[in-house]
Amino acid sequence: MSNLPSLTTETIWAILNEEIDDATVNQLVWHSLGYRYDSSTEQWDNTQVASEWRDEYPEPPHFIESRPATVKLTRSIPPENKQLLKEKLGFKGYKIGEFGPRQTRRATAANWLLSFMQQTN
């Protein structure tokens, strides 16, 4: 996960525009949550992960495929940051008929990452 793109608004747009693959989107969220992969032991180190995530997901979940994990991600966004994609980026959403659960989950990951950026900067 050392070759992840930097967390910038350009990266968030790339997630929304599907210019970054699902695996990288997951890795960005995992890294931000504190999950670290130890290649020497071939196991996940979750010691930096908040207990509310670590207890339910000792290994990082695949957010694009898992509705429950994405719901938890959505609920973990502070209320004041729920509309950041619209407020900060002017994202108008996807057009009806041109999106499905995958795009919705990518948008959730993008909004969570944008909220994470706002909270940590």
Side-chain angles (χ1 to χ4, degrees):
M1 290 197 302
S2 60
N3 57 353
L4 290 176
S6 300
L7 266 184
T8 64
T9 55
E10 290 78 19
T11 301
I12 302 301
W13 273 115
I15 293 169
L16 295 169
N17 293 328
E18 299 190 58
E19 297 163 357
I20 293 178
D21 62 42
D22 290 351
T24 303
V25 173
N26 276 312
Q27 290 173 16
L28 283 165
V29 177
W30 297 342
H31 191 268
S32 299
L33 283 168
Y35 291 98
R36 300 294 183 272
Y37 188 74
D38 184 339
S39 55
S40 65
T41 63
E42 297 184 348
Q43 293 185 346
W44 285 97
D45 175 359
N46 64 16
T47 55
Q48 298 178 50
V49 179
S51 61
E52 62 265 17
W53 281 98
R54 186 178 56 241
D55 294 348
E56 193 168 344
Y57 298 102
E59 292 191 358
H62 191 306
F63 288 102
I64 310 303
E65 292 179 359
S66 172
R67 184 180 182 281
T70 305
V71 168
K72 184 174 183 73
L73 199 64
T74 300
R75 290 180 178 156
S76 71
I77 300 170
E80 65 273 14
N81 291 351
K82 297 271 187 200
Q83 298 295 318
L84 281 181
L85 290 179
K86 186 188 326 180
E87 294 168 359
K88 293 280 184 190
L89 301 183
F91 180 63
K92 304 218 184 301
Y94 297 108
K95 294 180 182 165
I96 292 177
E98 294 182 4
F99 71 96
R102 185 175 157 277
Q103 289 80 13
T104 302
R105 291 175 186 152
R106 287 175 65 90
T108 297
N111 197 53
W112 187 89
L113 288 165
L114 193 57
S115 175
F116 176 79
M117 287 168 54
Q118 177 116 346
Q119 291 174 311
T120 57
N121 288 338

